[in-house]
Amino acid sequence: GPFHMVAPDRAELIGSVESETPAQFAALLHAFPTLKQIDMVDCPGTGDDGANLTPARMVRRHGVMTYVPEGGSVRSGGVELFLAGARRSADQGAEFAVHSWADEFGLEPKDYAPDAPENRVYIDYYREIGMSDAEARAFYAMTNSVPNHDAKWMTAADMSRWVRLDAPAALAAKLDSGPAVN
């Protein structure tokens, strides 16, 4: 799968989330129950939107932090996985790309009623990970302002305008290691 352990408590994500990823991630959590952080090095998105939210919910439920390092790239459905982090951080040189989804018929969110199940699944997910209803709707509207065949590119600073980002992992490790020194 796209997850590779680099330490007993840290995995890297390099690749897309596919139909088999939920089972692969469940096996990884079983083998490495100490997993605390996923470094999202290169996540081009997902080939299975339905499967994508399953490992995202596992990330959230297990309190795993998501982190995008300098030069890391999280795109499309990978953003939902990033958002699942119990804590989220991204280095200044991280990049994100969002766009609307398209179903197997080529229909996009605008082709469905705003409260249709096809749209509610994302708004409900964003609420599940801690966004208010207004924040969830605003974020979803922003992602859907871009057609599926295109992308809106964002920096970590851009992403922090939409969701709370914690200190980057290196700084977080220093903060966790003890009291701050002036």
Side-chain angles (χ1 to χ4, degrees):
F3 299 95
H4 310 279
M5 294 304 295
V6 294
D9 64 347
R10 209 173 98 238
E12 285 185 340
L13 171 59
I14 301 172
S16 61
V17 175
E18 301 300 335
S19 301
E20 59 277 0
T21 305
Q24 293 167 337
F25 190 66
L28 182 117
L29 283 174
H30 181 72
F32 297 94
T34 58
L35 180 66
K36 299 274 187 256
Q37 179 174 310
I38 298 172
D39 298 349
M40 300 182 78
V41 177
D42 183 27
C43 184
T46 182
D48 186 338
D49 283 338
N52 191 40
L53 296 183
T54 301
R57 286 183 171 106
M58 286 187 251
V59 163
R60 189 69 171 194
R61 190 170 43 252
H62 290 281
V64 176
M65 177 182 177
T66 53
Y67 164 64
V68 184
E70 176 83 25
S73 182
V74 177
R75 305 175 302 279
S76 190
V79 172
E80 274 76 34
L81 187 59
F82 171 74
L83 293 174
R87 292 176 52 195
R88 301 176 288 258
S89 67
D91 285 337
Q92 194 170 13
E95 67 179 12
F96 299 87
V98 297
H99 59 84
S100 68
W101 51 264
D103 65 17
E104 63 272 13
F105 306 108
L107 300 174
E108 296 188 27
K110 65 180 173 40
D111 298 315
Y112 292 92
D115 281 334
E118 294 83 358
N119 285 315
R120 280 298 321 178
V121 69
Y122 291 97
I123 294 167
D124 292 346
Y125 170 73
Y126 298 144
R127 300 234 19 238
E128 188 180 323
I129 61 165
M131 291 183 184
S132 70
D133 189 62
E135 291 167 333
R137 289 178 184 280
F139 185 78
Y140 190 59
M142 180 273 295
T143 65
N144 293 327
S145 69
V146 182
N148 180 260
H149 66 272
D150 202 355
K152 175 184 177 87
W153 291 91
M154 299 189 297
T155 64
D158 296 329
M159 183 60 80
S160 72
R161 292 184 189 109
W162 294 99
V163 296
R164 179 173 182 250
L165 296 184
D166 295 300
L171 180 56
K174 288 179 188 175
L175 294 175
D176 290 341
S177 66
V181 177
N182 290 338

